[in-house]
Amino acid sequence: MTAVFWKELADHLGSRRFVIFFFLILIVGGASAYLAAQALSGRETASEFIYLNLFTVSGGGLPSFLGFLAFFGPLIGVVLGFDAVNSEFNRGTASRVLSQPIYRDWWINGKFLAGFTALAIAVASIILIIVGLGLYIFGFPPNGVEISRIAMFFVISVIYLGFWLSLGILFSIVFRQTATSALASIALWLFFTLFLYMLAGLIADQVAPIKPGVSADVFAKHESIRDLVLRFSPVALYEEATTAILIPSYRGLGIAALLQEAAVPTSPLPLGQSLLIVWPQLVSLVALTSVCFAISYVIFMRREIRST
Amino acid sequence: MGLVVEAKGLKKYYDGVKAVDGLDLEIGEGEIYGLLGPNGAGKTTTILILLGLTEPTAGEVKVLGYDPTREPLKVKRLTGYLPENLGFYDDLSARENLLYTAHLNRIPEKEAKKRVAEVLEIVGLSDVAERPVRAFSRGMRQRLGIADVLLKDPKFVILDEPTSGIDPEGAQQILEMIVHLRDEKGMTIMLSSHLLHQVQRICDRVGIIHRGRLVAQGTLGELGAVVEEGACLFEVRTSRVDEALLGALRGIEGVTSVEAEGELIRIKATTDVRPRIARAVIESGAELVELKGHTYTLEEIYLRYFQE
Ligand SMILES: Nc1ncnc2c1ncn2[C@@H]1O[C@H](COP(=O)(O)OP(=O)(O)O)[C@@H](O)[C@H]1O
Ligand SMILES: [Mg+2]
């Protein structure tokens, strides 16, 4: 498996598409963080966690880095995976590789780990560059809490992108044509980043319509139904998890947390507490990834390896 | 002599299509076995089953004593496979492609480098080892494929259509290499082809496959005998051909058919009637220019089977 891993990793890091996406994210992400930094350093009262705000605050019309990564991050994950297996069949290399003494699942795992590592390298360098930018603008280093929370943000982000990678690889197994798997991946990306939000709103409107003068109960129900639907979206899971990590006072989604927040002045939670809040989201993301893997294995393990 | 391949009642159905339909196959150690048949006969499917790259619908297979479905890795460790449409990683050089295969076989780095250089030498590609495979001709790719197969020093080598799509000279080179493998390295070789005039020369034994069934099997001599059973063919060349002579020939006991084609007369008979043919020609007043018993080429055997 290490042989597959190193080869695939070298392929990724040297590939044009990886480099293009890397710089795309670097430029847009860097710009959004830069604008956020400008907005932050212009403020009267300095924020307690200014380095964390760097990732969550939006300035100058650009979305926050977090929002940007939640929306476009899936594309990088998918781009590294969508032709992982079918292109090997189309090139005729699959027959050659799979007639060597390696297990088929190793091959898939090696490909996944290589993509995962490439993603980790990309995300880590972008985060480091943003922190460096902050250092340059603010003139002081991040504190320990900030560093540990940023590290956590990194881990969650890579898991999130890893899910999309595993989805891309799954599609590269399901579809013989790379064009088809690319389209399917993009369709699912649009579904989760845009349509599911609309759908969640629609369903909530149907079940608990909000008319002028409805009670707080209906309002709460509306919100919780919306949340329930969004639970199925890796995008929403990621946004919720990273929000809790990057905004220490964040106590969870929904009206209950909102009311609570209004009642109690927002005090930052320790990292452990924040982790507790995001635990279900993290588990869900990992579970979704595992599902992609399980389906991949089931389809691929007994498939005929014929070079056409 | 041990058996390298032992297959009994092999079947592979693709929803209704009988690709392989009750095949029995035995290949002995150290022989070159040619699996011959027209396109779509089931050659590739048979090979995929032997390598565990597809599962048979029914039947039993042992390759080098292992069941390829249950213990694919053991078979693949000892068996080299040159696929029908083989592909390489086009961006990598010939040497890098082979090194990857060596790594997949867990050959230690130092040894791998040495072996790669060796096999490139054997197939005559040392000069272009550093060039990307993209620039290789079909013939060079095929030779690189053979190098790839040799890398793991296999006991048994399966070559699927090794000469198709290659100019006659290149094909000749490849066939010589195959003979070399048997003679110098003592490998057992199975090759499939639909171009039997090309490969018949080097095969110790052939099997003729048609619609998934082995219709004949044996050495060239044995196969000829099967065809000739109850039918000897003679060709007579005379200075003059007339109806009287043809009538006389037809009158010979045991002759089943006489056909004239210019100066050439083809005679089929149940026994060797050459002395009587000679006498008939002389008695008719014509001169006997040539009289020969005809031996079947594999081509004719092949055609004969596929005419049915
Ligand atoms: N995946 C498949 N699905 C359906 N039919 C197939 C499949 N693969 C091969 N076949 C059919 O099986 C038969 C044998 O194919 P193959 O073994 O490739 O022949 P050969 O290698 O002798 O040319 C052909 O008729 C082919 O159409
Ligand atoms: Mg074939």
Side-chain angles (χ1 to χ4, degrees):
Chain A
M1 190 167 83
T2 48
V4 178
F5 172 80
W6 287 113
K7 175 190 174 292
E8 296 288 332
L9 184 61
D11 282 358
H12 282 317
L13 297 183
S15 74
R16 210 167 301 161
R17 63 172 94 140
F18 179 78
V19 173
I20 289 173
F21 270 83
F22 178 77
F23 280 104
L24 197 83
I25 297 208
L26 184 64
I27 291 167
V28 182
S32 76
Y34 179 74
L35 292 175
Q38 299 245 297
L40 287 169
S41 55
R43 280 188 193 168
E44 299 282 290
T45 50
S47 160
E48 194 179 350
F49 301 109
I50 196 162
Y51 273 92
L52 300 182
N53 295 342
L54 215 46
F55 294 95
T56 54
V57 168
S58 57
L62 270 183
S64 68
F65 180 75
L66 176 58
F68 175 75
L69 201 61
F71 189 71
F72 283 111
L75 276 190
I76 328 170
V78 155
V79 154
L80 292 189
F82 81 96
D83 66 347
V85 173
N86 48 15
S87 74
E88 300 252 8
F89 276 89
N90 297 339
R91 278 182 298 191
T93 46
S95 293
R96 225 163 37 76
V97 169
L98 293 177
S99 65
Q100 308 305 333
I102 59 163
Y103 290 108
R104 292 187 190 188
D105 47 347
W106 286 9
W107 196 47
I108 306 276
N109 294 348
K111 279 173 178 288
F112 175 79
L113 279 182
F116 196 74
T117 308
L119 289 174
I121 291 173
V123 174
S125 31
I126 291 169
I127 288 180
L128 285 179
I129 287 172
I130 290 177
V131 170
L133 197 74
L135 205 60
Y136 177 71
I137 292 178
F138 303 140
F140 55 87
N143 60 36
V145 175
E146 285 172 324
I147 290 175
S148 55
R149 281 181 179 262
I150 288 175
M152 205 51 222
F153 169 63
F154 163 73
V155 171
I156 298 172
S157 298
V158 177
I159 290 176
Y160 174 60
L161 299 192
F163 159 74
W164 289 97
L165 173 69
S166 70
L167 190 76
I169 291 179
L170 170 62
F171 282 171
S172 84
I173 292 172
V174 173
F175 301 107
R176 301 265 171 174
Q177 302 294 324
T178 52
T180 320
S181 62
L183 282 178
S185 308
I186 289 178
L188 214 62
W189 169 64
L190 285 177
F191 176 78
F192 280 133
T193 48
L194 296 175
F195 297 136
L196 197 64
Y197 283 84
M198 298 184 213
L199 197 68
L202 270 176
I203 293 175
D205 281 345
Q206 285 299 313
V207 179
I210 296 179
K211 300 189 190 85
V214 293
S215 67
D217 274 359
V218 176
F219 201 76
K221 194 176 171 199
H222 183 277
E223 284 297 295
S224 64
I225 287 170
R226 214 181 96 90
D227 290 346
L228 191 70
V229 176
L230 286 179
R231 276 283 143 79
F232 291 101
S233 163
V235 185
L237 290 173
Y238 171 71
E239 280 181 335
E240 200 182 338
T242 45
T243 306
I245 292 298
L246 291 177
I247 302 176
S249 56
Y250 183 86
R251 283 182 165 74
L253 266 184
I255 198 86
L258 271 179
L259 292 175
Q260 218 177 6
E261 239 170 86
V264 195
T266 56
S267 61
L269 293 174
L271 181 62
Q273 288 287 315
S274 294
L275 273 181
L276 227 51
I277 294 178
V278 304
W279 194 243
Q281 281 78 6
L282 269 186
V283 171
S284 305
L285 275 178
V286 174
L288 283 172
T289 309
S290 315
V291 168
C292 286
F293 262 88
I295 301 175
S296 298
Y297 288 157
V298 167
I299 297 176
F300 191 62
M301 291 312 273
R302 303 186 67 177
R303 168 177 287 181
E304 173 171 302
I305 312 297
R306 183 189 285 265
S307 61
T308 45
Chain B
M1 187 178 73
L3 285 179
V4 173
V5 175
E6 240 184 310
K8 273 204 199 74
L10 220 51
K11 289 183 182 164
K12 178 72 185 181
Y13 296 171
Y14 294 105
D15 28 54
V17 183
K18 297 179 174 179
V20 175
D21 191 17
L23 195 90
D24 297 329
L25 193 64
E26 287 189 351
I27 299 180
E29 219 168 89
E31 69 175 344
I32 299 183
Y33 185 94
L35 189 63
L36 306 174
N39 286 321
K43 303 182 294 292
T44 301
T45 309
T46 306
I47 289 172
L48 295 185
I49 295 172
L50 295 185
L51 285 161
L53 294 177
T54 194
E55 284 179 36
T57 310
E60 279 174 35
V61 211
K62 282 261 152 64
V63 175
L64 295 158
Y66 301 109
D67 179 342
T69 307
R70 297 229 186 83
E71 300 181 293
L73 255 55
K74 291 203 168 127
V75 172
K76 287 172 187 174
R77 199 160 286 135
L78 299 168
T79 308
Y81 169 47
L82 182 75
E84 189 169 7
N85 299 300
L86 94 154
F88 290 94
Y89 299 102
D90 280 348
D91 297 335
L92 301 183
S93 70
R95 210 174 57 84
E96 287 165 331
N97 266 291
L98 293 189
L99 269 178
Y100 183 46
T101 303
H103 292 156
L104 291 177
N105 280 281
R106 297 165 172 271
I107 300 173
E109 188 64 26
K110 223 175 171 181
E111 168 95 13
K113 285 197 171 128
K114 206 179 94 208
R115 288 265 275 278
V116 167
E118 266 171 30
V119 294
L120 280 171
E121 188 66 44
I122 292 178
V123 300
L125 290 174
S126 298
D127 296 343
V128 290
E130 302 304 329
R131 287 209 208 141
V133 178
R134 195 183 316 111
F136 279 26
S137 70
R138 170 93 208 208
M140 285 159 86
R141 276 166 190 268
Q142 206 71 1
R143 278 189 281 154
L144 185 58
I146 291 182
D148 190 64
V149 165
L150 293 184
L151 209 51
K152 61 169 121 167
D153 198 19
K155 274 203 162 86
F156 177 41
V157 173
I158 301 180
L159 310 163
D160 199 356
E161 306 269 3
T163 59
S164 77
I166 295 179
D167 60 88
E169 201 184 324
Q172 216 50 46
Q173 281 180 355
I174 285 173
L175 294 178
E176 275 157 27
M177 256 177 240
I178 295 171
V179 174
H180 171 86
L181 295 185
R182 178 196 55 188
D183 294 343
E184 304 295 318
K185 312 224 162 193
M187 293 177 185
T188 306
I189 292 148
M190 170 179 179
L191 61 88
S192 87
S193 185
H194 66 283
L195 302 165
L196 74 171
H197 62 275
Q198 248 185 7
V199 301
Q200 62 181 22
R201 193 173 51 73
I202 69 162
C203 294
D204 297 320
R205 229 151 50 87
V206 297
I208 294 182
I209 184 174
H210 186 44
R211 296 184 197 194
R213 290 174 166 278
L214 213 54
V215 290
Q217 183 169 229
T219 62
L220 281 193
E222 285 167 6
L223 285 193
V226 171
V227 177
E228 270 182 281
E229 201 174 281
C232 301
L233 184 70
F234 304 104
E235 286 180 355
V236 189
R237 211 175 278 279
T238 61
S239 59
R240 181 164 47 87
V241 177
D242 56 24
E243 274 309 312
L245 171 58
L246 295 181
L249 290 173
R250 284 198 186 97
I252 297 172
E253 201 186 310
V255 169
T256 50
S257 84
V258 177
E259 285 165 34
E261 203 186 293
E263 241 83 288
L264 184 75
I265 306 170
R266 283 208 183 84
I267 301 168
K268 272 189 193 155
T270 49
T271 52
D272 190 351
V273 290
R274 268 177 290 188
R276 303 188 58 184
I277 293 174
R279 193 181 320 141
V281 173
I282 307 289
E283 280 173 358
S284 78
E287 277 165 44
L288 181 62
V289 180
E290 189 183 17
L291 168 58
K292 64 177 181 188
H294 183 82
T295 47
Y296 283 85
T297 62
L298 192 48
E299 191 96 35
E300 285 164 299
I301 299 167
Y302 190 74
L303 282 175
R304 198 190 133 94
Y305 278 110
F306 300 136
Q307 274 161 3
E308 286 163 6

